[in-house]
Amino acid sequence: MTHWFHRNPLKATAPVSFNYYGVITGPAASKICRLDESTQESKLRYIQNFKWTDTLQGQVPSAQQDAVFELISMGFNVALWYTKYASRLAGKENITEDEAKEVHRSLKIAAGIFKHLKESHIAKLITPAEKGRDLEARLLEAYIIQCQAEAQEVTIARAIELKHAPGLIAALAYETANFYQKADHTLSSLEPAYSAKWRKYLHLKMCFYTAYAYCYHGQTLLASDKCGEAIRSLQEAEKFYAKAEALCKEYGETKGPGPTVKPSGHLFFRKLGTLVKNTLEKCQRENGFIYFQKVPTEAPQLELKANYGLVEPVPFEFPPLSSHWTPEAMAAFDLTQRPKDDRGKPKPEEVVKPVKEPDIKPQKDTGCSVS
């Protein structure tokens, strides 16, 4: 089940010290970003300027004097970690069934974290995120949808391996293609300079799974003795596969965040091309010997709805406020000791050192089988 997923880089953050408040230091100090859920706001919320890079914007960080910004940024990075963990497992040689389930679970967890941040915390920021920054609602929505789509890729691979009905596989592929199209549309108003590579990935995956949908829909039509319509469906699959091939080349040539690989070289990609070709030839032979049906000029409308296998994010919430945060503990902080020069946004030339990440390219492409 070796799959290839596009991944943007992890967020990086600048060092932060709370020692100068002189009351609570060590591990307990790291918890000040946790805010009370009651209507009374913590007086510690605005004591520190936090800086985090954004996945599409290089090493010049965003900065806010707000612990909510720190909390959301940390949660965002945890979700990114789950996506990268899923990529690493999915790229293994001879992936086991349990590992495939772990890929599926990790992507759903990531989607749940992104969704929780978007729905429960983004609105609490005093300063809204700028266009193209990670904490902007559009980017979070794109990450949510992409995680769902990639988790459904695992479902599709499993359904093919177990030889489920072509109608179910076609419906799952169609729903997955729609996810990728929706994610691409979500990013459409961003600057191409930093979004083009990501969008190429989303577009090629949309074309790839649309080709899958037409291919398996053609098999369903053939089984219903609608050979002419089956041929037309396979011809449409062939067209979308060719589009995906062209987009693979464009993706590899597009500059932007994320690794540069050749997805068209992966076996899971090449196998679909062979399947479309062989199924189309079979339909044409059957039509020439048995059915003699006219091939429609218009492609069949894909109005497919999967009743099984659709992915929903795993619900996520941050842990409750620690019992250590009593009114006495909060009152113990002496905010008069705060340095006077600890304010302001980073200078334009200021950068944050990137997080060093291991290579997560597939070890060896073994196709879409789950052993």
Side-chain angles (χ1 to χ4, degrees), residues 27-268:
S30 64
K31 299 177 183 177
I32 73 161
C33 61
R34 291 293 316 185
L35 303 181
D36 194 343
E37 297 296 333
S38 69
T39 54
Q40 290 187 342
E41 192 174 83
S42 168
K43 70 175 183 177
L44 304 179
R45 176 172 176 177
Y46 305 106
I47 63 172
Q48 178 68 49
N49 192 37
F50 298 98
K51 303 170 187 177
W52 285 85
T53 58
D54 296 275
T55 53
L56 300 183
Q57 303 292 340
Q59 299 313 123
V60 177
S62 297
Q64 290 197 30
Q65 193 99 4
D66 189 348
V68 170
F69 174 74
E70 171 80 345
L71 178 68
I72 298 173
S73 297
M74 287 192 294
F76 193 104
N77 234 21
V78 171
L80 280 181
W81 181 88
Y82 273 105
T83 69
K84 290 173 180 287
Y85 177 59
S87 289
R88 192 168 186 84
L89 280 180
K92 285 183 63 176
E93 184 179 354
N94 299 323
I95 184 171
T96 66
E97 182 177 335
D98 286 343
E99 287 170 331
K101 289 178 180 177
E102 187 68 11
V103 172
H104 193 257
R105 187 185 75 91
S106 296
L107 289 166
K108 292 196 295 180
I109 290 173
I113 296 173
F114 285 130
K115 184 177 181 182
H116 177 67
L117 297 177
K118 178 176 178 283
E119 295 180 352
S120 301
H121 295 281
I122 293 298
K124 297 176 184 177
L125 288 170
I126 299 300
T127 305
E130 297 175 2
K131 181 179 178 180
R133 299 288 177 173
D134 287 340
L135 306 193
E136 187 194 4
R138 284 178 298 183
L139 261 73
L140 280 164
E141 182 67 13
Y143 274 114
I144 294 167
I145 299 168
Q146 180 176 328
C147 288
Q148 289 178 273
E150 290 174 347
Q152 284 189 189
E153 289 193 47
V154 180
T155 304
I156 292 168
R158 181 67 172 167
I160 293 171
E161 176 69 13
L162 296 179
K163 299 185 181 346
H164 281 289
L168 174 61
I169 297 170
L172 285 170
Y174 179 64
E175 301 270 16
T176 303
N178 286 340
F179 268 140
Y180 279 118
Q181 185 175 43
K182 184 179 178 182
D184 178 50
H185 179 73
T186 302
L187 300 175
S188 61
S189 60
L190 297 182
E191 294 296 328
Y194 54 78
S195 65
K197 191 178 186 72
W198 190 3
R199 292 193 63 199
K200 288 289 184 188
Y201 165 79
L202 297 171
H203 193 191
L204 81 84
K205 280 293 186 83
M206 184 276 290
C207 290
F208 181 75
Y209 281 99
T210 301
Y212 247 123
Y214 274 113
C215 180
Y216 279 89
H217 185 55
Q219 293 183 27
T220 303
L221 291 169
L222 180 61
S224 302
D225 296 325
K226 297 178 180 179
C227 195
E229 292 180 40
I231 291 172
R232 187 64 188 87
S233 187
L234 268 297
Q235 288 172 341
E236 200 69 6
E238 204 171 41
K239 184 179 79 174
F240 273 96
Y241 183 78
K243 284 184 178 179
E245 277 191 311
L247 284 164
C248 283
K249 182 179 179 182
E250 292 176 22
Y251 171 84
E253 295 172 349
T254 303
K255 296 186 182 301
T260 299
V261 295
K262 295 180 179 179
S264 58
H266 285 242
L267 185 56
F268 87 93

Side-chain angles (χ1 to χ4, degrees), residues 265-330:
H266 285 242
L267 185 56
F268 87 93
F269 191 94
R270 300 196 308 273
K271 284 182 72 174
L272 175 59
T274 302
L275 178 64
V276 170
K277 179 177 179 292
N278 292 343
T279 309
L280 177 57
E281 289 176 353
K282 176 185 176 181
C283 289
Q284 289 170 333
R285 285 196 305 271
E286 295 292 312
N287 204 43
F289 279 108
I290 302 172
Y291 295 102
F292 305 103
Q293 294 176 359
K294 183 179 178 180
V295 178
T297 55
E298 296 293 326
Q301 291 295 315
L302 291 180
E303 297 177 352
L304 308 173
K305 186 69 178 176
N307 296 318
Y308 307 99
L310 294 178
V311 168
E312 289 294 331
V314 173
F316 174 84
E317 289 187 1
F318 283 114
L321 189 69
S322 170
S323 60
H324 293 294
W325 287 107
T326 62
E328 293 76 19
M330 301 287 267

